[in-house]
Amino acid sequence: MAFNSENNLLQQYQYLIGISRDLASTLDLDSLLSKIVSVAAEMSGAEAASILLLDESSQQLYFQAATNIEVLPAMHGMVIPRDSSLAGWVIKNRTPVIANDVENDRRHYPNVDQETGFATRSLMGIPLMAKDEIIGVLETINKREGGFSQPDQDIITILGAQAAIAIQNTRMFHQSDLIAEMVHELRTPLSSLSAVAGLLARPDLSEDQRIKLVHTLHTEVQRLNSMTTSFLDLARLESGRMVFHKSIFPVQPLIEECLNLYESQAAEHAISTKIDIPPDLPRIEADRDELKQVLLNLISNAVKYNRPGGSILLRTGTNEKELFIAVEDNGSGIPEEEIPHLFEKFFRASGTKKIAPGTGLGLSICAKVIAAHRGRITVTSHPGQGSTFTVYLPLKPAP
Ligand SMILES: Nc1ncnc2c1ncn2[C@@H]1O[C@H](COP(=O)(O)OP(=O)(O)OP(=O)(O)O)[C@@H](O)[C@H]1O
Ligand SMILES: [Mg+2]
């Protein structure tokens, strides 16, 4: 539906009611946000629209969605200063803003245009409020004809109110879903801790038995600890609250760092490790800590699901558009029919539980982190022969 001066207000409001039903039933945050921005651009007669969200813990304001994010991927996750931007002004004052001449508006933050190559002429910003809390800003950019007007502001304010509720709903939905699964997963280590504690209380224990039990206690506590870290990571990734801190860095030191951390665990099982990196490998732009988490999980899997005397090879290279990092092992392998499920939360391949402990969250976290970098992960595996997990990252993240 195209909106112009001839469309009366009633039609616009009727259209919005239809939209808000659709928004309320969309539970995937990314598709919800992309619907909101496209409706906002359409209803306000703007060239583009975007959503900035406020990170709950860091309080940073960052781009989470935009109608033109496909062509301007550099925008995704870009952090905007709250004290020198129109969006920041909206957050601070909790009121809408119309700036029909941004070039001469001192509140405008020109770096986004510089970094994305998209020229902003006019901008309207609407605060996204859920109850009394401000969660972000809905922006419409470049009115096609004339400037943004009060009626535009009124209609997008209503859309913004619906959008904010829908965003909170998806967050809560995913949290409650995840919480139920997490609590379920916590039961096993908790019950073994309770069993160990019960045994430790027995007076007839030998010193040897006591030492063994304390050791078990220690490993179970460590396992609980790493589970809670995974839970938190996943919850942040799923709710879209994760902020990535990108930098440009060489890959080789990162790979060496990761491998070092698993060297002794590999040696315990007589697993040999090897690195194969071409000398002219370009540097990569990514969140280094998050990429490290991804590699650590892939290496940890390659060690855990390997066999005594096995080997691991870390190989990197480039194709036309991407840099890849492959983690190859010659361990247990994964049955073909289970490969499509590997990146699902809590999924563990059959027979794995007997080989090594794990929560089945590592790969789902990896997939989300890599997707947020606009990359991909592929798997090839042959039962009994081994597996290769390959991470591909775009060589040119910014246009
Ligand atoms: N290199 C590999 N070789 C064989 N199976 C693998 C390999 N990597 C992953 N898998 C299978 O995929 C499952 C999911 O892996 P994922 O890393 O998500 O979870 P996990 O290792 O079980 O637990 P954690 O959350 O501690 O990482 C594993 O349980 C295992 O069955
Ligand atoms: Mg794992």
Side-chain angles (χ1 to χ4, degrees):
M1 178 168 186
F3 293 96
N4 52 48
S5 51
E6 283 167 25
N7 282 117
N8 63 35
L9 221 55
L10 189 66
Q11 261 181 309
Q12 290 205 2
Y13 283 85
Q14 275 172 341
Y15 180 69
L16 250 189
I17 292 169
I19 294 292
S20 61
R21 258 183 232 131
D22 186 21
L23 295 186
S25 62
T26 306
L27 287 166
D28 171 61
L29 185 69
D30 285 334
S31 33
L32 173 70
L33 298 183
S34 72
K35 279 182 193 170
I36 297 169
V37 287
S38 70
V39 174
E42 187 184 6
M43 294 199 82
S44 61
E47 279 175 16
S50 55
I51 286 181
L52 295 105
L53 293 179
L54 206 51
D55 182 67
E56 273 171 51
S57 53
S58 69
Q59 289 295 303
Q60 278 181 326
L61 191 58
Y62 62 96
F63 278 107
Q64 177 69 32
T67 45
N68 47 4
I69 213 150
E70 298 288 304
V71 281
L72 301 174
M75 275 175 84
H76 197 273
M78 188 189 282
V79 175
I80 302 299
R82 286 178 59 174
D83 50 1
S84 56
S85 65
L86 280 159
W89 188 91
V90 172
I91 294 281
K92 186 168 164 220
N93 295 281
R94 299 182 168 215
T95 37
V97 71
I98 288 181
N100 278 323
D101 179 17
V102 290
E103 238 179 280
N104 294 310
D105 196 314
R106 289 177 51 204
R107 294 168 296 184
H108 179 54
Y109 178 64
N111 292 30
V112 179
D113 293 6
Q114 280 159 20
E115 283 184 45
T116 60
F118 181 86
T120 305
R121 300 187 308 273
S122 56
L123 187 153
M124 177 167 73
I126 303 289
L128 293 172
M129 304 285 300
K131 294 215 186 85
D132 292 334
E133 196 193 342
I134 184 139
I135 59 168
V137 181
L138 173 58
E139 287 185 343
T140 59
I141 298 133
N142 294 355
K143 179 85 177 175
R144 289 186 194 278
E145 283 165 39
F148 291 111
S149 62
Q150 188 63 42
D152 291 333
Q153 182 181 313
D154 293 344
I155 200 89
I156 301 303
T157 299
I158 299 176
L159 173 67
Q162 308 289 346
I165 295 169
I167 292 170
Q168 286 302 67
N169 279 350
T170 52
R171 286 179 169 174
M172 273 177 335
F173 173 80
H174 287 296
Q175 270 167 9
S176 60
D177 192 32
L178 198 64
I179 287 167
E181 280 174 288
M182 288 174 185
V183 169
H184 180 77
E185 292 298 317
L186 288 175
R187 284 207 178 130
T188 320
L190 279 176
S191 70
S192 66
L193 275 180
S194 146
V196 172
L199 285 172
L200 270 176
R202 284 169 56 158
D204 54 341
L205 282 184
S206 70
E207 185 59 13
D208 236 24
Q209 288 170 315
R210 204 182 55 81
I211 291 172
K212 269 194 196 134
L213 284 172
V214 169
H215 183 74
T216 315
L217 200 88
H218 195 206
T219 6
E220 285 302 304
V221 168
Q222 271 180 332
R223 206 172 120 201
L224 267 175
N225 193 18
S226 83
M227 275 169 90
T228 45
T229 311
S230 300
F231 289 171
L232 286 175
D233 283 350
L234 201 64
R236 301 194 74 210
L237 284 161
E238 288 208 334
S239 64
R241 281 174 294 146
M242 184 81 118
V243 177
F244 292 96
H245 302 281
K246 291 195 180 161
S247 61
I248 300 177
F249 55 87
V251 176
Q252 178 149 4
L254 175 67
I255 289 183
E256 286 166 356
E257 239 171 87
C258 293
L259 204 53
N260 271 343
L261 288 171
Y262 278 97
E263 211 63 77
S264 68
Q265 203 170 318
E268 258 174 54
H269 300 97
I271 295 167
S272 61
T273 60
K274 215 179 128 196
I275 295 183
D276 179 1
I277 301 177
D280 54 349
L281 192 73
R283 298 195 301 166
I284 187 88
E285 180 170 12
D287 183 317
R288 195 177 191 277
D289 290 342
E290 292 303 323
L291 184 58
K292 183 169 175 179
Q293 276 322 114
V294 169
L295 296 180
L296 284 178
N297 183 53
L298 295 182
I299 298 171
S300 123
N301 287 349
V303 174
K304 279 203 291 192
Y305 310 116
N306 217 312
R307 54 185 168 78
S311 64
I312 297 173
L313 171 64
L314 271 108
R315 209 166 51 79
T316 68
T318 53
N319 59 28
E320 273 164 32
K321 285 182 299 205
E322 301 159 300
L323 181 146
F324 69 83
I325 305 171
V327 182
E328 296 182 24
D329 68 66
N330 58 0
S332 65
I334 302 147
E336 196 182 340
E337 64 279 11
E338 298 191 9
I339 291 181
H341 301 290
L342 287 178
F343 297 95
E344 289 168 11
K345 272 179 285 181
F346 301 110
F347 180 84
R348 306 197 68 205
S350 51
T352 302
K353 284 189 191 99
K354 277 183 267 144
I355 307 179
T359 49
L361 288 180
L363 285 176
S364 57
I365 293 174
C366 290
K368 286 186 201 301
V369 169
I370 295 303
H373 283 79
R374 290 183 313 113
R376 57 198 176 98
I377 303 185
T378 61
V379 189
T380 52
S381 186
H382 302 284
Q385 291 177 32
S387 319
T388 303
F389 286 77
T390 312
V391 171
Y392 292 85
L393 290 169
L395 275 172
K396 276 220 167 69

